[in-house]
Amino acid sequence: GQQVMQIPQYQHVQEGEDFTTYCNSSTTLSNIQWYKQRPGGHPVFLIQLVKSGEVKKQKRLTFQFGEAKKNSSLHITATQTTDVGTYFCAASGAGSYQLTFGKGTKLSVIP
Amino acid sequence: NAGVTQTPKFQVLKTGQSMTLQCAQDMNHNSMYWYRQDPGMGLRLIYYSASEGTTDKGEVPNGYNVSRLNKREFSLRLESAAPSQTSVYFCASRGRRDSAIGFGSGTRLTVV
């Protein structure tokens, strides 16, 4: 299956600071998806990126897909306590039904 | 419309016992998945079923079997549970190969 590396594994920020998590692959991705898992919950789909260089925004969240379609990032501006959780990227190989998840970045927000 | 429903939510097994985790989806999705989640390991794919009648191994299939009973249901069986199978198990489904995946609420399994 597709391999995706995600960094950092943990991030502690003061409320109001920005946060970024990165996802990298050694091969070209057809698309990449991002999910959020709140503590004790299940992963919930946030967004999918398909095009090279694509940038999408959801309020304070900005998602980018690299020009070579081998990396992606999620940036949160001015974090809030409601942003706490683990953020995962996920990708499939071309033509594959498998969806492989990165190990996730666990975000803690200190009030 | 309940989405993806998993049972049970919690289970404690003794080493060597067997059990089946049940999963059903009511979204008419073609593909279904079983993942396990362990601290620091993210979500690892155990088995998946691209469509009714097919099943394939994922990243960590050893010690597990699956059955795609019909389009709605996809069960995961542990024939002889081991402490290394202590984990949170998530069932998931999606309609198209490139669409978002929807998860059940999970089964927290402890093997003692």
Side-chain angles (χ1 to χ4, degrees):
Chain A
Q2 191 68 49
Q3 299 291 324
V4 286
M5 304 298 295
Q6 194 172 352
I7 57 170
Q9 189 172 359
Y10 302 96
Q11 187 80 58
H12 305 275
V13 299
Q14 290 286 143
E15 188 172 16
E17 291 183 338
D18 292 355
F19 159 78
T20 305
T21 174
Y22 301 89
C23 191
N24 298 293
S25 171
S26 59
T27 59
T28 302
L29 303 172
S30 56
N31 60 66
I32 195 156
Q33 299 177 355
W34 286 92
Y35 293 78
K36 177 183 179 180
Q37 183 178 26
R38 294 182 187 274
H42 59 274
V44 174
F45 174 75
L46 293 175
I47 209 159
Q48 176 169 276
L49 304 172
V50 178
K51 299 177 183 177
S52 169
E54 188 169 17
V55 178
K56 288 188 176 180
K57 293 190 175 185
Q58 290 180 349
K59 297 183 180 178
R60 295 178 293 103
L61 277 62
T62 302
F63 304 84
Q64 295 191 38
F65 202 9
E67 293 290 341
K69 299 183 72 173
K70 290 184 176 182
N71 57 73
S72 181
S73 64
L74 158 58
H75 180 82
I76 302 178
T77 303
T79 54
Q80 300 175 359
T81 54
T82 53
D83 296 323
V84 163
T86 302
Y87 293 84
F88 294 96
C89 61
S92 298
S96 173
Y97 284 90
Q98 289 194 48
L99 186 64
T100 301
F101 284 76
K103 292 188 177 181
T105 297
K106 186 174 183 178
L107 172 64
S108 300
V109 178
I110 305 164
Chain B
N1 189 339
V4 180
T5 303
Q6 288 182 241
T7 56
K9 292 190 184 302
F10 301 93
Q11 184 73 50
V12 178
L13 290 178
K14 293 183 179 179
T15 298
Q17 285 186 318
S18 62
M19 80 160 295
T20 300
L21 281 64
Q22 306 287 351
C23 175
Q25 52 92 9
D26 61 3
M27 297 172 285
N28 200 35
H29 282 171
N30 289 316
S31 303
M32 297 186 72
Y33 302 79
W34 277 105
Y35 288 90
R36 61 177 287 174
Q37 185 173 34
D38 304 290
M41 299 299 292
L43 292 151
R44 292 183 292 170
L45 183 62
I46 306 171
Y47 271 93
Y48 67 100
S49 171
S51 60
E52 185 180 357
T54 69
T55 60
D56 285 286
K57 295 178 181 179
E59 182 184 356
V60 287
N62 291 344
Y64 305 95
N65 285 300
V66 290
S67 295
R68 183 75 183 265
L69 304 169
N70 47 56
K71 191 170 186 179
R72 290 186 64 248
E73 298 172 287
F74 188 39
S75 62
L76 178 71
R77 182 160 178 85
L78 287 70
E79 289 291 350
S80 179
S84 60
Q85 294 178 305
T86 293
S87 188
V88 180
Y89 291 85
F90 289 102
C91 178
S93 71
R94 61 176 172 178
R96 296 192 326 269
R97 186 171 54 200
D98 59 350
S99 63
I101 200 169
F103 286 86
S105 57
T107 296
R108 189 171 296 274
L109 175 68
T110 302
V111 183
V112 298

